[in-house]
Amino acid sequence: MGGVEDLRPLRVLGYGRAFDIAAPTQLARIARRLCELASAPDRGTPFSLTFYVSVDGEVAGADLNFAGRIVFDAAGNPAETRALTAEEVRPTAEQWRRELTDHPRSPEHVPSWWQAIADGDDGAYEPSMPSWFGGPMPQSLDEAAAQAKLLVPKFEGLLHFVGYAAIADELVRSIHATARTLRLGELDAIFGRRGRGAQEAAQARLAATAVGTITPLLAERTAAERDEMIRAWHGHSRDDGPDTTMTSDEQLRVAVTRVAERIVARRFGTLPKNWHVV
């Protein structure tokens, strides 16, 4: 596209393995021909193609991309999950403008991001937030508070234990009340607007602070409830169990904080593991 041709390696997947091999050069000729055949005066020409084939050879084809922006960094690495400056992003704004000149299309087939570049935008790239349980990832305090669930299914069973059931409502209130006191930069991190690494750290801080405000509720738990809460967390998380060098109070605080982190993640959203880290 835009006068530039890039033949990416073939990614081989299967049996727990993944590796790349060089694509045969004749694939570029096939891709050019497919683009020609798929071109139409109103919708233009596809500017990227993805070929796929199954291991048994019975399923094969090509996905033709007419509208989804492709993004690489200056080193040529796929970068759809990273924020890039105009100088870093590839294809460049000029290449996108040239593509639209070389292969015109009717206005209704020009995506808004592409039209902005055609109108003079510098082409800097900011990734869109991924979806979250079938809807947009929360991006405001009200949206986070409106989430119907407290935990992902893996951890929902924790709420059936008396100790967690007794503190859940107050813990959730504390989480949202604490979040409303935070500065904008910290909220940006919590909502994932500064990358996955920043989000994980900020959400952990929010959970720890919220647990600190309900310490009196933790002290009210009976010895049996405390023991059950500790065991329940480690059982659900499938880790190595509580640190026996800690006191019972410390073990309980750790367990409840980990549960709080999961509540924060479910309510405020979690970026995918391949998202850029800041």
Side-chain angles (χ1 to χ4, degrees):
M1 57 79 61
V4 176
E5 189 171 277
D6 184 16
L7 187 62
R8 310 298 297 180
L10 300 179
R11 169 56 56 95
V12 181
L13 303 169
Y15 302 104
R17 300 178 62 205
F19 57 92
D20 292 340
I21 60 174
T25 55
Q26 61 265 37
L27 201 57
R29 175 179 54 80
I30 295 171
R32 285 193 294 270
R33 181 56 179 156
L34 281 173
C35 285
E36 292 172 4
L37 293 172
S39 297
D42 61 337
R43 67 177 181 174
T45 300
F47 48 77
S48 71
L49 298 90
T50 303
F51 294 94
Y52 57 88
V53 60
S54 73
V55 67
D56 56 14
E58 295 179 359
V59 178
D63 291 330
L64 281 66
N65 179 17
F66 286 87
R69 186 173 180 179
I70 51 176
V71 182
F72 297 93
D73 62 20
N77 301 308
E80 292 89 350
T81 64
R82 291 174 48 206
L84 298 173
T85 66
E87 292 72 26
E88 295 172 314
V89 70
R90 302 290 186 274
T92 65
E94 182 55 39
Q95 287 168 343
W96 283 115
R97 295 187 190 106
R98 178 178 173 181
E99 176 67 16
L100 204 53
T101 299
D102 291 347
H103 302 102
R105 54 177 67 192
S106 57
E108 65 268 23
H109 289 290
V110 180
S112 58
W113 61 265
W114 199 352
Q115 187 61 58
I117 292 175
D119 291 340
D121 187 277
D122 66 4
Y125 178 72
E126 186 71 33
S128 299
M129 287 295 168
S131 63
W132 186 241
F133 286 91
M137 182 173 285
Q139 288 296 286
S140 72
L141 293 169
D142 289 341
E143 290 175 358
Q147 293 292 307
K149 296 286 188 178
L150 296 187
L151 292 161
V152 297
K154 175 182 177 180
F155 295 107
E156 280 185 333
L158 289 168
L159 300 178
H160 297 154
F161 293 89
V162 173
Y164 286 115
I167 68 170
D169 290 345
E170 196 59 39
L171 177 57
V172 171
R173 276 192 288 269
S174 178
I175 287 170
H176 290 289
T178 301
R180 293 187 183 280
T181 69
L182 300 177
R183 295 178 180 272
L184 182 59
E186 186 76 349
L187 288 175
D188 281 343
I190 286 171
F191 286 113
R193 294 190 284 265
R194 290 173 50 199
R196 180 176 170 86
Q199 183 184 50
E200 289 180 339
Q203 289 191 355
R205 288 191 292 270
L206 172 57
T209 302
V211 171
T213 66
I214 66 162
T215 298
L217 274 182
L218 301 185
E220 293 174 4
R221 310 282 53 89
T222 67
E225 288 175 347
R226 294 155 70 90
D227 183 61
E228 186 177 62
M229 291 168 74
I230 294 167
R231 287 188 292 103
W233 161 251
H234 291 289
H236 278 71
S237 64
R238 297 180 182 177
D239 62 12
D240 294 331
D243 184 345
T244 55
T245 65
M246 291 182 175
T247 66
S248 175
D249 285 344
E250 291 171 334
Q251 291 180 16
L252 180 62
R253 181 70 170 260
V254 168
V256 174
T257 300
R258 297 295 176 264
V259 173
E261 289 173 357
R262 289 349 183 247
I263 294 174
V264 171
R266 177 60 182 87
R267 293 229 143 182
F268 290 79
T270 302
L271 292 172
K273 292 183 178 180
N274 68 340
W275 210 258
H276 64 290
V277 176
V278 179

